[in-house]
Short mmCIF file of all heavy atoms in Angstrom, two decimals:
data_model
loop_
_atom_site.label_atom_id
_atom_site.label_comp_id
_atom_site.label_asym_id
_atom_site.label_seq_id
_atom_site.Cartn_x
_atom_site.Cartn_y
_atom_site.Cartn_z
N HIS A 94 -45.97 9.59 -2.54
CA HIS A 94 -44.55 9.63 -2.87
C HIS A 94 -43.86 8.25 -2.65
O HIS A 94 -42.81 7.98 -3.17
CB HIS A 94 -43.85 10.74 -2.08
CG HIS A 94 -44.00 12.09 -2.64
ND1 HIS A 94 -43.32 12.50 -3.72
CD2 HIS A 94 -44.85 13.10 -2.29
CE1 HIS A 94 -43.72 13.81 -4.01
NE2 HIS A 94 -44.66 14.13 -3.18
N GLU A 95 -44.40 7.44 -1.76
CA GLU A 95 -43.94 6.11 -1.56
C GLU A 95 -44.26 5.29 -2.83
O GLU A 95 -43.51 4.29 -3.18
CB GLU A 95 -44.59 5.44 -0.39
CG GLU A 95 -44.04 5.98 0.98
CD GLU A 95 -44.57 5.17 2.15
OE1 GLU A 95 -44.81 3.92 1.90
OE2 GLU A 95 -44.71 5.70 3.23
N MET A 96 -45.31 5.59 -3.53
CA MET A 96 -45.68 4.83 -4.77
C MET A 96 -44.97 5.39 -5.94
O MET A 96 -44.61 4.55 -6.89
CB MET A 96 -47.22 4.98 -4.99
CG MET A 96 -48.03 4.48 -3.87
SD MET A 96 -47.87 2.77 -3.48
CE MET A 96 -47.07 2.85 -1.91
N GLN A 97 -44.69 6.64 -6.03
CA GLN A 97 -44.12 7.25 -7.24
C GLN A 97 -43.27 8.49 -6.83
O GLN A 97 -43.78 9.35 -6.13
CB GLN A 97 -45.22 7.66 -8.19
CG GLN A 97 -44.79 8.05 -9.60
CD GLN A 97 -46.01 8.38 -10.48
OE1 GLN A 97 -47.12 8.60 -10.03
NE2 GLN A 97 -45.71 8.38 -11.80
N GLU A 98 -42.03 8.53 -7.24
CA GLU A 98 -41.14 9.67 -6.86
C GLU A 98 -41.74 10.99 -7.18
O GLU A 98 -41.77 11.91 -6.37
CB GLU A 98 -39.79 9.52 -7.45
CG GLU A 98 -38.84 10.53 -7.05
CD GLU A 98 -37.47 10.36 -7.64
OE1 GLU A 98 -37.26 9.37 -8.33
OE2 GLU A 98 -36.55 11.24 -7.40
N LEU A 99 -42.32 11.13 -8.38
CA LEU A 99 -42.97 12.27 -8.81
C LEU A 99 -44.44 11.87 -9.17
O LEU A 99 -44.71 11.54 -10.30
CB LEU A 99 -42.32 12.95 -10.02
CG LEU A 99 -40.92 13.52 -9.78
CD1 LEU A 99 -40.33 14.03 -11.10
CD2 LEU A 99 -40.95 14.70 -8.72
N PRO A 100 -45.38 11.96 -8.16
CA PRO A 100 -46.67 11.42 -8.34
C PRO A 100 -47.48 12.11 -9.61
O PRO A 100 -47.32 13.32 -9.82
CB PRO A 100 -47.43 11.73 -7.06
CG PRO A 100 -46.25 11.78 -6.08
CD PRO A 100 -45.15 12.39 -6.79
N ASP A 101 -48.13 11.28 -10.32
CA ASP A 101 -48.84 11.77 -11.39
C ASP A 101 -50.03 12.73 -10.84
O ASP A 101 -50.73 12.40 -10.00
CB ASP A 101 -49.59 10.67 -12.14
CG ASP A 101 -50.47 11.10 -13.23
OD1 ASP A 101 -49.92 11.22 -14.37
OD2 ASP A 101 -51.72 11.28 -13.01
N PRO A 102 -50.05 13.94 -11.44
CA PRO A 102 -50.92 14.91 -10.88
C PRO A 102 -52.39 14.52 -10.82
O PRO A 102 -53.17 14.79 -9.82
CB PRO A 102 -50.74 16.18 -11.80
CG PRO A 102 -49.30 15.99 -12.33
CD PRO A 102 -49.21 14.53 -12.49
N ARG A 103 -52.85 13.90 -11.83
CA ARG A 103 -54.29 13.39 -11.85
C ARG A 103 -54.54 12.41 -10.73
O ARG A 103 -55.50 12.48 -9.96
CB ARG A 103 -54.64 12.85 -13.19
CG ARG A 103 -56.11 12.37 -13.26
CD ARG A 103 -56.41 11.56 -14.55
NE ARG A 103 -57.78 11.14 -14.53
CZ ARG A 103 -58.23 10.09 -13.84
NH1 ARG A 103 -57.42 9.32 -13.08
NH2 ARG A 103 -59.54 9.75 -14.00
N GLU A 104 -53.65 11.45 -10.59
CA GLU A 104 -53.83 10.46 -9.55
C GLU A 104 -53.62 11.04 -8.16
O GLU A 104 -54.22 10.61 -7.17
CB GLU A 104 -52.87 9.27 -9.79
CG GLU A 104 -53.00 8.66 -11.14
CD GLU A 104 -54.44 8.35 -11.53
OE1 GLU A 104 -55.25 7.95 -10.68
OE2 GLU A 104 -54.79 8.41 -12.73
N MET A 105 -52.66 11.99 -8.08
CA MET A 105 -52.53 12.68 -6.73
C MET A 105 -53.83 13.34 -6.39
O MET A 105 -54.23 13.28 -5.20
CB MET A 105 -51.44 13.77 -6.87
CG MET A 105 -51.21 14.59 -5.57
SD MET A 105 -50.58 13.51 -4.21
CE MET A 105 -48.80 13.83 -4.45
N ASP A 106 -54.56 14.05 -7.22
CA ASP A 106 -55.83 14.58 -6.94
C ASP A 106 -56.80 13.52 -6.43
O ASP A 106 -57.60 13.78 -5.51
CB ASP A 106 -56.38 15.34 -8.08
CG ASP A 106 -55.80 16.79 -8.25
OD1 ASP A 106 -55.08 17.15 -7.31
OD2 ASP A 106 -56.13 17.42 -9.21
N VAL A 107 -56.83 12.35 -7.10
CA VAL A 107 -57.75 11.28 -6.67
C VAL A 107 -57.45 10.96 -5.18
O VAL A 107 -58.39 10.75 -4.42
CB VAL A 107 -57.54 10.07 -7.56
CG1 VAL A 107 -58.33 8.88 -7.01
CG2 VAL A 107 -58.00 10.36 -9.01
N VAL A 108 -56.11 10.84 -4.83
CA VAL A 108 -55.79 10.48 -3.51
C VAL A 108 -56.14 11.59 -2.48
O VAL A 108 -56.76 11.36 -1.42
CB VAL A 108 -54.32 10.15 -3.46
CG1 VAL A 108 -53.83 9.94 -2.00
CG2 VAL A 108 -53.94 8.94 -4.27
N LEU A 109 -55.76 12.81 -2.77
CA LEU A 109 -55.87 13.89 -1.92
C LEU A 109 -57.36 14.21 -1.57
O LEU A 109 -57.69 14.70 -0.47
CB LEU A 109 -55.21 15.18 -2.39
CG LEU A 109 -53.69 15.12 -2.50
CD1 LEU A 109 -53.09 16.44 -3.02
CD2 LEU A 109 -53.04 14.72 -1.13
N ALA A 110 -58.17 14.02 -2.59
CA ALA A 110 -59.63 14.38 -2.40
C ALA A 110 -60.24 13.55 -1.33
O ALA A 110 -61.35 13.89 -0.78
CB ALA A 110 -60.32 14.25 -3.70
N THR A 111 -59.65 12.41 -0.99
CA THR A 111 -60.33 11.51 0.00
C THR A 111 -60.27 12.14 1.37
O THR A 111 -61.14 11.77 2.24
CB THR A 111 -59.60 10.13 0.04
OG1 THR A 111 -58.22 10.26 0.44
CG2 THR A 111 -59.69 9.47 -1.37
N GLY A 112 -59.32 12.96 1.69
CA GLY A 112 -59.20 13.52 2.99
C GLY A 112 -60.45 14.27 3.51
O GLY A 112 -60.96 14.06 4.58
N GLU A 113 -60.94 15.17 2.66
CA GLU A 113 -62.10 15.97 2.92
C GLU A 113 -63.36 15.08 2.93
O GLU A 113 -64.30 15.34 3.65
CB GLU A 113 -62.26 17.10 2.05
CG GLU A 113 -61.38 18.21 2.25
CD GLU A 113 -61.66 19.40 1.36
OE1 GLU A 113 -62.18 19.18 0.26
OE2 GLU A 113 -61.42 20.54 1.76
N GLN A 114 -63.34 14.05 2.11
CA GLN A 114 -64.54 13.16 1.99
C GLN A 114 -64.80 12.57 3.32
O GLN A 114 -65.94 12.39 3.73
CB GLN A 114 -64.36 12.18 0.88
CG GLN A 114 -65.59 11.40 0.60
CD GLN A 114 -65.47 10.59 -0.70
OE1 GLN A 114 -64.73 10.99 -1.67
NE2 GLN A 114 -66.19 9.49 -0.80
N VAL A 115 -63.79 12.16 4.02
CA VAL A 115 -63.91 11.58 5.37
C VAL A 115 -64.56 12.62 6.27
O VAL A 115 -65.50 12.34 7.03
CB VAL A 115 -62.57 11.06 5.95
CG1 VAL A 115 -62.62 10.75 7.41
CG2 VAL A 115 -62.03 9.93 5.07
N THR A 116 -63.98 13.84 6.28
CA THR A 116 -64.54 14.87 7.21
C THR A 116 -66.00 15.22 6.94
O THR A 116 -66.79 15.35 7.99
CB THR A 116 -63.71 16.17 7.09
OG1 THR A 116 -62.27 15.81 7.07
CG2 THR A 116 -63.96 17.10 8.29
N ILE A 117 -66.38 15.41 5.71
CA ILE A 117 -67.73 15.81 5.49
C ILE A 117 -68.73 14.75 5.96
O ILE A 117 -69.79 14.98 6.46
CB ILE A 117 -68.01 16.19 4.00
CG1 ILE A 117 -67.72 14.99 3.06
CG2 ILE A 117 -67.17 17.43 3.65
CD1 ILE A 117 -68.11 15.25 1.63
N GLY A 118 -68.37 13.44 5.70
CA GLY A 118 -69.24 12.41 6.14
C GLY A 118 -69.31 12.27 7.61
O GLY A 118 -70.43 12.06 8.18
N LEU A 119 -68.20 12.41 8.36
CA LEU A 119 -68.22 12.31 9.80
C LEU A 119 -69.00 13.48 10.41
O LEU A 119 -69.79 13.29 11.40
CB LEU A 119 -66.83 12.33 10.35
CG LEU A 119 -65.96 11.11 10.04
CD1 LEU A 119 -64.58 11.30 10.58
CD2 LEU A 119 -66.62 9.85 10.65
N LEU A 120 -68.87 14.70 9.84
CA LEU A 120 -69.64 15.77 10.37
C LEU A 120 -71.09 15.68 10.15
O LEU A 120 -71.94 16.00 11.04
CB LEU A 120 -69.09 17.15 9.72
CG LEU A 120 -69.78 18.42 10.33
CD1 LEU A 120 -69.65 18.54 11.79
CD2 LEU A 120 -69.11 19.65 9.62
N ALA A 121 -71.49 15.16 9.03
CA ALA A 121 -72.89 14.95 8.71
C ALA A 121 -73.46 13.89 9.72
O ALA A 121 -74.57 14.06 10.23
CB ALA A 121 -73.09 14.45 7.33
N MET A 122 -72.71 12.89 10.05
CA MET A 122 -73.09 11.84 10.98
C MET A 122 -73.31 12.48 12.37
O MET A 122 -74.19 12.18 13.11
CB MET A 122 -72.13 10.66 11.05
CG MET A 122 -72.04 9.89 9.84
SD MET A 122 -70.81 8.58 10.04
CE MET A 122 -70.70 7.93 8.39
N ALA A 123 -72.31 13.34 12.72
CA ALA A 123 -72.31 13.93 14.08
C ALA A 123 -73.60 14.85 14.25
O ALA A 123 -74.20 14.84 15.30
CB ALA A 123 -71.09 14.75 14.29
N LEU A 124 -73.91 15.52 13.14
CA LEU A 124 -75.09 16.39 13.18
C LEU A 124 -76.38 15.57 13.27
O LEU A 124 -77.33 15.86 14.09
CB LEU A 124 -75.15 17.27 11.96
CG LEU A 124 -74.17 18.53 12.08
CD1 LEU A 124 -73.98 19.09 10.65
CD2 LEU A 124 -74.71 19.54 12.98
N LYS A 125 -76.44 14.45 12.52
CA LYS A 125 -77.67 13.63 12.56
C LYS A 125 -77.80 12.96 13.90
O LYS A 125 -78.91 12.79 14.42
CB LYS A 125 -77.55 12.54 11.50
CG LYS A 125 -77.72 13.11 10.02
CD LYS A 125 -77.46 11.99 9.03
CE LYS A 125 -77.51 12.47 7.60
NZ LYS A 125 -78.88 12.84 7.20
N ASN A 126 -76.71 12.73 14.55
CA ASN A 126 -76.67 12.03 15.91
C ASN A 126 -77.33 12.98 16.96
O ASN A 126 -77.85 12.46 17.96
CB ASN A 126 -75.29 11.59 16.28
CG ASN A 126 -75.30 10.70 17.46
OD1 ASN A 126 -75.95 9.69 17.51
ND2 ASN A 126 -74.55 11.17 18.51
N ILE A 127 -77.27 14.28 16.73
CA ILE A 127 -77.85 15.17 17.68
C ILE A 127 -79.14 15.74 17.14
O ILE A 127 -79.67 16.80 17.61
CB ILE A 127 -76.92 16.33 18.09
CG1 ILE A 127 -76.45 17.07 16.85
CG2 ILE A 127 -75.73 15.74 18.87
CD1 ILE A 127 -75.56 18.36 17.22
N GLY A 128 -79.72 15.08 16.16
CA GLY A 128 -81.07 15.39 15.63
C GLY A 128 -81.15 16.56 14.70
O GLY A 128 -82.23 17.14 14.49
N VAL A 129 -80.00 16.86 13.98
CA VAL A 129 -80.01 17.94 12.97
C VAL A 129 -79.85 17.31 11.66
O VAL A 129 -78.84 16.56 11.38
CB VAL A 129 -78.89 18.94 13.28
CG1 VAL A 129 -78.85 20.08 12.28
CG2 VAL A 129 -78.99 19.51 14.74
N ASP A 130 -80.72 17.58 10.71
CA ASP A 130 -80.66 17.08 9.40
C ASP A 130 -79.53 17.77 8.57
O ASP A 130 -79.43 18.97 8.56
CB ASP A 130 -81.99 17.29 8.65
CG ASP A 130 -82.18 16.35 7.45
OD1 ASP A 130 -81.25 15.51 7.22
OD2 ASP A 130 -83.17 16.53 6.73
N ALA A 131 -78.72 16.94 8.03
CA ALA A 131 -77.50 17.47 7.33
C ALA A 131 -77.20 16.62 6.09
O ALA A 131 -77.55 15.38 6.07
CB ALA A 131 -76.30 17.55 8.18
N LYS A 132 -76.58 17.11 5.07
CA LYS A 132 -76.24 16.40 3.93
C LYS A 132 -74.84 16.78 3.42
O LYS A 132 -74.55 18.01 3.38
CB LYS A 132 -77.23 16.62 2.79
CG LYS A 132 -77.03 15.65 1.56
CD LYS A 132 -78.22 15.74 0.64
CE LYS A 132 -78.11 14.76 -0.52
NZ LYS A 132 -79.31 14.83 -1.44
N SER A 133 -73.93 15.85 3.15
CA SER A 133 -72.59 16.13 2.65
C SER A 133 -72.50 15.99 1.20
O SER A 133 -73.20 15.20 0.57
CB SER A 133 -71.64 15.22 3.35
OG SER A 133 -71.82 13.84 3.00
N TYR A 134 -71.53 16.76 0.65
CA TYR A 134 -71.25 16.71 -0.83
C TYR A 134 -69.77 16.82 -1.01
O TYR A 134 -69.08 17.69 -0.45
CB TYR A 134 -71.92 17.96 -1.53
CG TYR A 134 -73.40 17.87 -1.72
CD1 TYR A 134 -74.24 18.60 -0.87
CD2 TYR A 134 -73.96 17.11 -2.70
CE1 TYR A 134 -75.63 18.52 -1.01
CE2 TYR A 134 -75.31 17.00 -2.90
CZ TYR A 134 -76.14 17.73 -2.03
OH TYR A 134 -77.52 17.65 -2.20
N THR A 135 -69.25 16.01 -1.92
CA THR A 135 -67.90 16.17 -2.44
C THR A 135 -67.96 17.40 -3.45
O THR A 135 -69.03 17.83 -3.81
CB THR A 135 -67.36 14.95 -3.11
OG1 THR A 135 -68.26 14.72 -4.27
CG2 THR A 135 -67.41 13.78 -2.22
N GLY A 136 -66.78 17.80 -3.85
CA GLY A 136 -66.74 18.92 -4.80
C GLY A 136 -67.41 18.59 -6.03
O GLY A 136 -68.10 19.47 -6.66
N TRP A 137 -67.29 17.32 -6.52
CA TRP A 137 -67.81 16.98 -7.83
C TRP A 137 -69.31 16.82 -7.74
O TRP A 137 -70.02 16.97 -8.72
CB TRP A 137 -67.18 15.80 -8.42
CG TRP A 137 -67.31 14.52 -7.62
CD1 TRP A 137 -66.52 13.98 -6.68
CD2 TRP A 137 -68.41 13.60 -7.77
NE1 TRP A 137 -67.01 12.83 -6.22
CE2 TRP A 137 -68.20 12.58 -6.93
CE3 TRP A 137 -69.58 13.60 -8.60
CZ2 TRP A 137 -69.01 11.43 -6.75
CZ3 TRP A 137 -70.42 12.49 -8.48
CH2 TRP A 137 -70.18 11.46 -7.56
N GLN A 138 -69.78 16.55 -6.60
CA GLN A 138 -71.29 16.34 -6.46
C GLN A 138 -72.00 17.70 -6.51
O GLN A 138 -73.14 17.76 -6.80
CB GLN A 138 -71.59 15.55 -5.16
CG GLN A 138 -71.22 14.11 -5.22
CD GLN A 138 -71.52 13.43 -3.87
OE1 GLN A 138 -71.09 13.99 -2.83
NE2 GLN A 138 -72.04 12.32 -3.85
#
């Protein structure tokens, strides 16, 4: 909303999707760190 008063819906999705991408990667790392094999996927993957 700082960039655009009414954010373009397509671009808003591009931005919002990054939040979960951080979480899935961090959780996969945390599991690997304790010796558990894990793999993360975004929704489109």
Side-chain angles (χ1 to χ4, degrees):
H94 281 281
E95 286 187 31
M96 302 299 112
Q97 191 177 17
E98 184 177 355
L99 296 174
D101 178 84
R103 180 189 180 279
E104 305 309 326
M105 177 66 95
D106 276 353
V107 172
V108 172
L109 294 181
T111 63
E113 284 186 331
Q114 188 167 333
V115 171
T116 312
I117 61 173
L119 291 176
L120 181 54
M122 291 178 188
L124 284 163
K125 289 174 184 289
N126 191 56
I127 57 176
V129 180
D130 198 6
K132 190 171 184 178
S133 66
Y134 287 102
T135 61
W137 65 266
Q138 287 176 314

